Amino acid sequence: MDSSVSIGNTVIHWYQQSESNTWKWIMYYTSSSKSNTASEFQDRFSGDKNEEENSCTLTIAPLEVSDSATYYCAYWSAHTA
């Protein structure tokens, strides 16, 4: 993640791009512990963000061969007008 951006007030989304170039939304989460995970990922995928280290993490456990893909995180400000 760009170190010039503070993740403190952001919404983090995770996406999976398969080897066949299919995109799937996995989850989102905020610093206020609000989250939502797509049903097919709920059992083994979890996300976390560490505001002190300005980092976000996607954890897959247990890892399966079918998880072979590229994973992307996207973020934006959670501030509202």
Side-chain angles (χ1 to χ4, degrees), residues 10-69:
T10 59
V11 178
I12 305 292
H13 283 259
W14 282 97
Y15 297 88
Q16 178 192 65
Q17 182 185 19
S18 69
E19 294 176 359
S20 64
N21 207 30
T22 301
W23 286 81
K24 293 182 180 180
W25 172 79
I26 300 170
M27 70 176 58
Y28 82 85
Y29 51 91
T30 68
S31 54
S32 60
S33 299
K34 293 181 181 176
S35 65
N36 190 14
T37 303
S39 59
E40 69 181 286
F41 297 104
Q42 287 180 348
D43 293 338
R44 300 181 305 107
F45 287 64
S46 62
D48 187 38
K49 67 180 187 177
N50 183 323
E51 293 179 32
E52 290 179 13
E53 294 181 9
N54 206 40
S55 64
C56 56
T57 305
L58 176 68
T59 302
I60 308 169
L63 196 60
E64 298 178 357
V65 173
S66 61
D67 298 324
S68 180

